[in-house]
Amino acid sequence: YFRSARATEQVPEALRLFGRRLPDGTFGVLISGSSASNAVLQVSTNLAHWLPIFTNLQSSADVEFIDAKATTAPWRLYRAIK
């Protein structure tokens, strides 16, 4: 005699990032997705060391961050984590 059970797991929607260079040289990063609230945007110049630069505490699904320091860096890499 075996008893079966059904397990379900809710998998959150992935965060999506969209970036664009603005005319003044800054860089805009849009964090999108239903799980964008409480996301932390991180920046790196080498993919090995990441620093938090923005935390989204809003309840909306999309938020944009303008990185003013992007004007002085040859490149910056971005990721969002939950």
Side-chain angles (χ1 to χ4, degrees), residues 7-81:
T8 60
E9 182 177 340
Q10 295 283 21
V11 178
E13 179 185 357
L15 294 171
R16 294 180 303 276
L17 297 181
F18 303 95
R20 61 189 176 109
R21 176 71 63 185
L22 301 172
D24 63 357
T26 59
F27 193 78
V29 179
L30 177 70
I31 305 170
S32 180
S34 63
S35 60
S37 63
N38 296 321
V40 177
L41 183 64
Q42 297 180 330
V43 67
S44 176
T45 57
N46 60 14
L47 291 175
H49 300 95
W50 293 89
L51 297 172
I53 57 172
F54 177 74
T55 300
N56 175 21
L57 297 175
Q58 298 177 355
S59 61
S60 68
D62 298 341
V63 67
E64 185 171 25
F65 172 77
I66 306 298
D67 186 2
K69 293 184 179 180
T71 60
T72 60
W75 67 18
R76 286 167 67 91
L77 308 158
Y78 300 90
R79 72 179 180 187
I81 60 172

